[in-house]
Amino acid sequence: MELIDKLEILVDGAKYDVACTSSGVDRPGEKGKLGSTIAAGICHSFAGDGRCISLLKVLMTNYCIYDCKYCVNRRSNDVPRAALTPKELADLVIGFYRRNYIEGLFLSSGVIKNPDYTMEHMCESIRLLREEYGFLGYIHAKAIPGASREMISRIGMMADRVSVNLELPSEESLSLLCPDKPKQNILGPMRQIRDGIRENSSDMVLYRHAPKFAPGGQATQMIIGATPDTDYQIMRLAQGLYKKYALKRVFYSAYIPIGTSALLPKGQAVPLLREHRLYQADWLVRVYGFDAEEILTEKHPSLDPLLDPKCNWALNNLDLFPVDINRVDMDTLIRVPGIGVRGAQKIMTARRVGPLGFDALKKLGIVLKRAAYFITCSGKYMPGLKFDHSFIYNNLTADARLRPAGLPFGPVAQQLSLYPPPTLMLGGSS
Amino acid sequence: MESIAYIIDDSLEGVLCAVFAAYERKERPVEVGPEQGMQLAFGQEAVKIFSDSVKAERVAAGFERKLGRGAYARLWTCALSSDPDRHSILYRYMRGVFDTGRRFALNLAHDDVLAYEKIHKAVSSEAHYHKEFARFSEMENGVYYSKITPKNNIISLVMPHFVERFSIQPMLLHDPVHELCAVYDMKSWYLIATSELNVPAPTAEEKDYRRLWKRFYDAICVEGRENPKCRRTHLPMRYWKNMTEFQHYPEEENRKQDKVRNVLGDQSGMAMLLTEEQGLLSGLSGRYKNISD
């Protein structure tokens, strides 16, 4: 088989892995060596599905001894199979990298023979790149569940980011759909990677040039919608992973029906909207300092498809609003819907010069379409708006309810009124 | 007071000298720019300001003193903009900083600050886009060549990144829009003005890599999840014409039409793989070849 055909097969098997970030490591280039990394990461292209392409995302091989029901590479699936040699893979990475196609490599693999044997192949490819080719670009490696401690620490010393896929949001789901991967085989390596990363900081005090273990941290991903786990359970789990396992990112992947098992949901793919809402909620937990319990509760375990989680939280906590953007601190400011981290920073800077009004906020790029309901400017509420739950809810969801297709529900019923509803006068901020 | 326009050299030095002149002459020009493209209003007086590097340096140093370190670098970035109004925008911003001090720059809702921040964002984000989307090709003389067609003159913001990253390969970054070429000869890099450039042919290996990349690009997209709008947001279409993955490859297109997939019974493949007990590196590809052929 030609290299180009192998590449296609192995990319086909790898593409359902969602993570493609090249962030977390700042490593300047060295004269005479190839490559550098930038903490923010760099995307190099965007695929037809709109996802970023930063790394050469590929499998070592798509032969697999496991039969995980949701996975395209499962043993029982009838797909063409191929494998790359470490040399072929390394040459491909270097060739792509020198042309500025990619930021580095994202290497995963089907399991051949046993986890350790598989990881040895992966390690060899990465060793070739790092040691023989002097490659300083980004490398993200997947640890194979069940691999030994030695293999994990070997790969962690050479890769920038190591991750173990959680696969599914709960133990019951895991044992149902991937019986070959007990929970311990996933959490064990995850714990080991966390401890390896922690050791970095203590070693660095002793030896300045101590080699770093996975300096870009670890990430994981799980498939949502293939099992009945709720958003509430998922967010609680993600929060635990951030806190207990010090993960950099948790990725969510809306289930795509590539499996035919009777245990899987039939027919349509899980709506991408759910995936999107989970990422929004994840962002709130990871960056904005929200607690998962603030966003979702056992009684309301699903994210509202009509409203983003931040608006939803604000509406459920109207007693905390409106806040005055000329007075409140940064932490309160970023909790206002429509105001992000950057917007809040701009407000903090600009208000040092003088109090800001709604016009000024618009100039700063604040999304008044959402923010206006929750703020006052020096004590003044936006003229024409009512600070009232159903008024705000109806206005915030107006766009979503008018959206014709793509949502699995119809327009929200509304009480008829003799008086025309007040109109929004926010100018062209939509 | 009569309205005044300053006619300056089309350079950052020209703008700096305009600031100097405005204080020296106790004037407030409403417009600053090169003669070309300047439209004088009725009754407007035009004053020609000559560039003087000593004055320019004094203004630059004063600007950095007022706003702190890095302020001049930002100004310089903004000066690379191709906005027709850039000279006036830079002038008004500097004037504001010199008149009111540091506080002026904090007032992000002020129109003059807003305009300045806007061109800064336009230039720096275009520079970043080129770090992402510029594509190099290996040419027959061993040089890695890349053509870019930016709106703003960002070549000098982008080249240091490539030089740091690809220090092992000679490079030519070519911007025909601004008729500039950044050359890296494995020691240092420099800018040269070029109106014409003879580019050697790509190597045979180069053509293979282009096809490999194209195949990768097409394969990575999840079928049924196509999202052209999202792609255009992140990767604006004006970049496509210079990017490898958006070119046409006749071999690839023919292949798509009569795509015959070599579907294997994977169980047999597995079995063969598992029975072989060879070393890690010894002819893995050979074995797989047998399986697939």
Side-chain angles (χ1 to χ4, degrees), chain A residues 5 8 12 15 28-29 35-36 43-46 48-49 75 83 98-100 103 112-113 272 363, chain B residues 111 131-132 134-136 164-166 169 206 215 217 219 222-223 225 227 245 261 266 273 277 288:
Chain A
D5 297 317
E8 185 178 24
D12 249 334
K15 68 184 173 191
S36 62
C43 303
H44 281 277
S45 193
F46 287 85
D49 52 15
R75 185 175 64 218
R98 292 178 78 147
R99 289 164 176 80
N100 205 36
E103 200 59 16
I112 32 172
K113 214 164 139 185
L272 282 174
K363 283 186 186 170
Chain B
D111 285 336
K131 290 178 193 171
E132 299 183 314
R135 297 284 182 259
F136 285 89
E164 183 192 339
R165 171 165 290 197
F166 303 124
Q169 64 195 31
E206 172 62 32
R215 185 79 71 92
Y217 180 81
V222 174
E223 319 75 41
R225 290 253 173 121
N227 192 344
E245 53 268 45
R261 291 190 117 189
D266 62 311
L273 198 74
E277 285 280 353
Y288 285 116

Side-chain angles (χ1 to χ4, degrees), chain A residues 349-394:
Chain A
T349 307
R351 78 185 192 189
R352 285 166 63 186
V353 183
L356 304 171
F358 286 101
D359 278 350
L361 288 183
K362 212 171 137 185
K363 283 186 186 170
L364 295 184
I366 304 300
V367 189
L368 283 182
K369 201 168 79 172
R370 287 198 289 282
Y373 306 99
F374 303 101
I375 56 173
T376 57
C377 293
S378 307
K380 288 195 199 74
Y381 195 60
M382 180 81 151
L385 298 190
K386 264 196 303 180
F387 188 69
D388 164 73
H389 189 285
S390 62
F391 175 84
I392 300 177
Y393 182 84
N394 285 335

Side-chain angles (χ1 to χ4, degrees), chain A residues 10 28 30 75 89 169 203 248 253 265 272 280 289 323 350 354 375 408 417:
Chain A
L10 295 171
E30 281 173 34
R75 185 175 64 218
L89 182 65
D203 282 356
K248 278 271 155 50
S253 159
L272 282 174
Q280 288 179 317
V323 296
I375 56 173
S417 168

Side-chain angles (χ1 to χ4, degrees), chain B residues 43-82:
Chain B
Q44 199 170 32
E45 188 193 340
V47 180
K48 174 92 184 112
I49 303 295
F50 292 95
S51 287
D52 175 338
S53 60
V54 179
K55 288 177 181 173
E57 264 169 45
R58 272 178 62 188
V59 176
F63 185 68
E64 183 117 336
R65 229 180 4 256
K66 282 268 181 192
L67 274 189
R69 271 186 68 185
Y72 181 68
R74 281 190 107 221
L75 187 74
W76 189 79
T77 302
C78 291
L80 298 174
S81 159
S82 58

Side-chain angles (χ1 to χ4, degrees), chain A residues 1-9 11-12 15-16 27-38 41-51 53 55-58 61 63-65 74-88 91-92 94-103 111-113 117 120-121 124 127 254-256 269-270 272 275 342 345-347 349-350 352-354 356 360 363-364, chain B residues 102-111 114 121 128 130-138 144 161-170 184 186-188 203 205-206 208-223 225-228 230-231 234-235 243-246 249 252 255 259 261-270 273-274 276-281 283-289 291-293:
Chain A
M1 199 188 297
E2 268 190 74
L3 178 63
I4 194 164
D5 297 317
K6 285 204 226 172
L7 178 68
E8 185 178 24
I9 292 169
V11 169
D12 249 334
K15 68 184 173 191
Y16 298 102
R27 180 170 48 233
E30 281 173 34
K31 202 89 184 171
K33 282 190 164 185
L34 178 68
S36 62
T37 62
I38 292 181
I42 296 182
C43 303
H44 281 277
S45 193
F46 287 85
D49 52 15
R51 292 187 306 165
I53 301 173
L55 305 171
L56 170 61
K57 196 189 302 185
V58 71
T61 174
Y63 286 102
C64 195
I65 53 170
R74 65 188 180 281
R75 185 175 64 218
S76 58
N77 199 19
D78 187 18
V79 291
R81 306 273 168 175
L84 288 171
T85 63
K87 174 90 167 61
E88 279 173 328
D91 286 340
L92 206 53
I94 299 290
F96 280 3
Y97 194 82
R98 292 178 78 147
R99 289 164 176 80
N100 205 36
Y101 296 164
I102 53 169
E103 200 59 16
V111 182
I112 32 172
K113 214 164 139 185
Y117 182 81
E120 228 167 285
H121 280 69
E124 176 55 22
R127 190 199 64 80
Y255 171 69
I256 300 168
V270 173
L272 282 174
E275 184 188 290
R342 242 185 250 180
Q345 279 164 348
K346 281 189 192 167
I347 292 174
T349 307
R352 285 166 63 186
V353 183
L356 304 171
K363 283 186 186 170
L364 295 184
Chain B
R102 204 181 149 72
R103 280 170 61 84
F104 178 79
L106 299 181
N107 193 355
L108 299 173
H110 189 291
D111 285 336
L114 213 58
K121 194 177 171 198
H128 185 74
H130 280 85
K131 290 178 193 171
E132 299 183 314
F133 305 140
R135 297 284 182 259
F136 285 89
S137 297
E138 191 190 18
Y144 281 75
H161 168 78
F162 290 133
V163 168
E164 183 192 339
R165 171 165 290 197
F166 303 124
S167 63
I168 57 162
Q169 64 195 31
Y184 171 65
M186 309 273 284
K187 287 188 206 77
S188 56
T203 59
E205 204 187 25
E206 172 62 32
D208 290 343
Y209 274 113
R210 286 179 186 173
R211 267 186 66 202
L212 278 163
W213 177 241
K214 171 74 174 162
R215 185 79 71 92
F216 172 83
Y217 180 81
D218 291 341
I220 198 86
C221 170
V222 174
E223 319 75 41
R225 290 253 173 121
E226 285 80 5
N227 192 344
C230 179
R231 173 166 68 176
H234 294 292
L235 172 47
M243 293 174 72
T244 317
E245 53 268 45
F246 294 104
Y249 301 90
E252 290 296 292
R255 190 192 67 93
K259 189 175 177 184
R261 291 190 117 189
N262 188 8
V263 180
L264 296 166
D266 62 311
Q267 301 295 353
S268 60
M270 259 337 278
L273 198 74
L274 290 171
E276 299 218 10
E277 285 280 353
Q278 291 178 20
L280 194 61
L281 279 168
L284 244 183
S285 65
R287 268 187 281 154
Y288 285 116
K289 223 174 205 155
I291 295 165
S292 60
D293 287 346

